[in-house]
């Protein structure tokens, strides 16, 4: 009798979650303002259901909601929506239930987001747009160039000289279809991490109100990119350089993507070090620290963050790397 009560309760909860998923997914499709925010909110009901029930009930709810969305709107929307919020929601629910470390949670969420994004992209390109990624990229580059041209015309009408606008011209010349195609792997990885970070922040705020314990996000000053991960990216960069020298086409993709990832890693680590010292050594207020970071980041000296980040990964200025702390002892 007790099992029947629990089964009934689980079915009711799964039904409610399924209804919520369908409503949120349709809002994500039909309400333009909700489109961006919806991507971060959709995994939350899945996470809650996984925490309250089990994996079978959660997967069933995802499948049913996907089928309903497919019937109401389109099969492609049902498939991509189910994959996107399903994988992410289950991954986050698993990490919370198993009390995984923040670093592991963000890594798994990034992988889940990457899989969901790539699946959605493939479905759109092959089944909906019936096009190729090169054609879509070419169209995107064309729109970007038009935007740059409009910006340059505005500055020119304000009396800005061609010499002063040289950085804009250099940027326009750099952004072509081939360049953007080679950047796609890095863009997918970086966007997946950003999505994972924001998803965790938003979910944490809601999950805590429902009474679930969830680990707090690491503060910016304590962010540390594992040297092993950085080494792997550096090895991929070297491999890409070797492939380029041997005139292997994929080498350029690997080189540019690895180079971009390393640059973002160094910048992130550099900003973390700067915030750490401004906060703990100079005892500056939070608002003043943000102002300093913004001013320096969007200035000619912004490359200093790359150098600081690289140096900290090697030397561990903040002494927060647990592996090196063990060696010091």
């Amino acid at each position: 009798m007790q099992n029947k009560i629990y089964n009934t309760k689980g079915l009711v909860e799964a039904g409610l979650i399924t209804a919520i998923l369908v409503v949120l997914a349709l809002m994500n499709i039909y309400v333009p303002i909700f489109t961006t925010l919806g991507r971060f909110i959709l995994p939350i009901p899945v996470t809650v259901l996984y925490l309250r029930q089990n994996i079978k009930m959660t997967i069933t709810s995802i499948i049913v909601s996907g089928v309903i969305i497919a019937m109401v709107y389109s099969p492609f929307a049902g498939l991509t929506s189910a994959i996107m919020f399903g994988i992410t929601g289950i991954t986050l629910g698993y990490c919370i239930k198993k009390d995984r470390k923040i670093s592991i949670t963000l890594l798994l969420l990034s992988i889940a987001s990457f899989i969901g994004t790539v699946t959605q992209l493939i479905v759109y390109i092959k089944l909906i747009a019936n096009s190729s990624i090169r054609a879509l990229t070419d169209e995107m580059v064309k729109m970007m160039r038009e935007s740059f041209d409009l910006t340059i015309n505005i500055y020119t009408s304000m009396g800005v000289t061609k010499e002063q606008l040289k950085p804009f011209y250099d940027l326009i010349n750099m952004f072509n279809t081939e360049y953007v195609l080679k950047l796609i792997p890095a863009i997918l990885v970086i966007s997946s991490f950003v999505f994972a970070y924001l998803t965790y922040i938003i979910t944490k705020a809601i999950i805590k109100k429902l009474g679930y314990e969830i680990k707090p996000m690491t503060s910016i000053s304590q962010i540390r990119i594992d040297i092993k991960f950085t080494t792997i990216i550096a090895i991929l960069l070297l491999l890409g350089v070797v492939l380029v020298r041997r005139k292997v086409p994929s080498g350029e993709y690997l080189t540019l993507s690895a180079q971009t990832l390393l640059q973002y890693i160094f910048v992130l680590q550099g900003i973390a070090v700067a915030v750490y010292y401004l906060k703990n050594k100079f005892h500056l207020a939070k608002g003043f620290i943000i102002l300093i970071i913004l001013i320096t980041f969007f200035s000619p000296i912004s490359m200093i963050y790359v150098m600081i980040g690289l140096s900290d990964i090697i030397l561990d200025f903040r002494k927060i790397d647990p592996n090196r702390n063990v060696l010091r002892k």
Side-chain angles (χ1 to χ4, degrees), residues 97-132:
K97 187 174 272 190
K98 298 297 182 180
D99 197 31
R100 300 300 185 195
K101 295 190 298 184
I102 288 291
S103 57
I104 299 298
T105 300
L106 288 179
L107 175 61
L108 293 178
L109 272 179
S110 298
I111 294 172
S113 173
F114 183 86
I115 294 171
T117 302
V118 170
T119 302
Q120 192 173 36
L121 191 62
I122 291 172
V123 169
Y124 177 79
I125 292 172
K126 296 296 183 181
L127 301 179
I128 300 177
N130 193 23
S131 182
S132 66

Side-chain angles (χ1 to χ4, degrees), residues 120-191:
Q120 192 173 36
L121 191 62
I122 291 172
V123 169
Y124 177 79
I125 292 172
K126 296 296 183 181
L127 301 179
I128 300 177
N130 193 23
S131 182
S132 66
I133 191 167
R134 177 176 289 275
L136 291 177
T137 304
D138 192 47
E139 193 65 31
M140 183 182 71
V141 169
K142 183 180 177 182
M143 292 173 61
M144 290 172 64
R145 283 179 172 272
E146 290 175 354
S147 177
F148 278 130
D149 288 339
L150 180 61
T151 303
I152 287 175
N153 290 334
I154 292 173
Y155 279 119
T156 302
S157 65
M158 294 170 62
V160 181
T161 63
K162 286 188 176 181
E163 289 74 17
Q164 292 173 316
L165 289 173
K166 188 177 180 301
F168 278 100
Y169 286 112
D170 293 339
L171 197 60
I172 291 173
N173 294 329
M174 182 179 67
F175 270 96
N176 53 53
T177 302
E178 288 298 326
Y179 180 81
V180 174
L181 280 171
K182 292 169 186 174
L183 266 181
I184 286 177
I187 292 172
L188 287 173
V189 172
I190 293 168
S191 63

Side-chain angles (χ1 to χ4, degrees), residues 307-327:
M307 293 183 285
I308 293 173
L310 174 59
S311 302
D312 185 62
I313 287 174
I314 297 171
L315 302 173
D316 188 25
F317 294 135
R318 296 168 291 172
K319 304 294 185 292
I320 61 174
D321 190 336
N323 299 318
R324 299 188 194 185
N325 289 336
V326 171
L327 292 175

Side-chain angles (χ1 to χ4, degrees), residues 63-82:
I63 292 173
V64 172
S65 61
V67 170
I68 295 174
I69 295 167
M71 291 189 298
V72 173
Y73 186 71
S74 77
F76 304 123
L79 174 64
T80 55
S81 296

Side-chain angles (χ1 to χ4, degrees), residues 193-243:
F193 175 79
V194 172
F195 174 76
Y197 183 86
L198 294 175
T199 298
Y200 189 88
I201 293 293
I202 295 171
T203 304
K204 175 177 171 290
I206 296 174
I207 290 292
K208 284 193 72 175
K209 292 184 178 180
L210 296 176
Y212 292 97
E213 289 295 325
I214 184 168
K215 292 181 182 296
M217 181 58 72
T218 305
S219 63
I220 295 177
S221 63
Q222 295 298 312
I223 289 177
R224 176 186 61 83
I225 310 298
D226 196 305
I227 192 170
K228 295 176 183 176
F229 177 74
T230 308
T231 303
I232 292 172
I233 304 299
I235 292 172
L236 291 175
L237 175 59
L238 293 175
L239 178 60
V241 172
V242 172
L243 292 175

